[in-house]
Amino acid sequence: LWVTAFVHLATGLRWSWQLGPGTAAEQVHLRQLLGTLSPQALIVCDAAYMGYELVRAITGSGRSFLFRMSSKVHLHTLENVTLKDGTEGPVLYWPKYAQEKGIAPLPCRLIRVPAKGQVKHDVWLLTDVLDPARLSAATAAKFYRWRWRNEGVFRIYKRTINKMKLSSRTVRLVHREAELSLLATQILLAHADLALRRN
């Protein structure tokens, strides 16, 4: 069973999710979940989600993205433009097939997050938020750190709710079991968040 979920970064609560078979495509799931988000949402994802068509779908819906760059993605720089202070700058996301089809390039901003502590390599992020006043490099780095922190949500689901393995014997019941256990995790996390807010 494949689960793709949006997690609210500030609280760690799952916002919405999509279930599919083990062969499902997470990029397809993400597109299907776009309508569950606020029109002002910033979608923060790892490099596995990086893709021109998905980025076009996100920006076309009026929402924004912040993705870790993949080494498979090629960007174009504007003429005579360098990264500001070596950390950020304007680029165009425009794969060759899009150029050949006459599809317009996507103006983006490349952000470098310098390596710190135990992190050995810089992290490169790509966003369609062009104005640093709306999304600074420091805030982008913080949001991406929060994304890693929220990977723990799935650990809670697998370990605390004990859903390493689903026990139902039909596809319909497996999906029902997964939905109910995901809701149980949601209630558990919501109660924990409320308890922490009272302290």
Side-chain angles (χ1 to χ4, degrees), residues 4 49-50 57 64 70 82-84 92 109-110 123 134 188:
T4 304
Y49 286 89
M50 193 75 229
S64 295
S70 165
T82 57
L83 292 181
K84 179 184 175 185
L92 296 175
R109 189 167 129 240
L110 187 64
V123 174
R134 284 187 58 217
L188 175 69

Side-chain angles (χ1 to χ4, degrees), residues 135-149:
L135 179 66
S136 68
T139 301
K142 178 177 75 173
F143 286 168
Y144 191 71
R145 284 195 303 274
W146 283 2
R147 194 204 73 81
W148 273 112
R149 180 184 70 186

Side-chain angles (χ1 to χ4, degrees), residues 135-194:
L135 179 66
S136 68
T139 301
K142 178 177 75 173
F143 286 168
Y144 191 71
R145 284 195 303 274
W146 283 2
R147 194 204 73 81
W148 273 112
R149 180 184 70 186
N150 280 290
E151 289 286 336
V153 168
F154 290 100
R155 187 182 186 283
I156 292 170
Y157 177 68
K158 290 175 181 176
R159 300 294 183 183
T160 307
I161 306 296
N162 195 25
K163 285 300 172 185
M164 283 293 287
K165 184 182 283 189
L166 299 170
S167 58
S168 298
R169 294 180 179 268
T170 68
V171 172
R172 185 175 64 83
L173 289 177
V174 162
H175 277 240
R176 182 172 291 178
E177 181 184 350
E179 286 283 1
L180 289 172
S181 56
L182 286 164
L183 287 170
T185 311
Q186 192 79 327
I187 292 167
L188 175 69
L189 292 170
H191 275 291
D193 184 64
L194 284 172

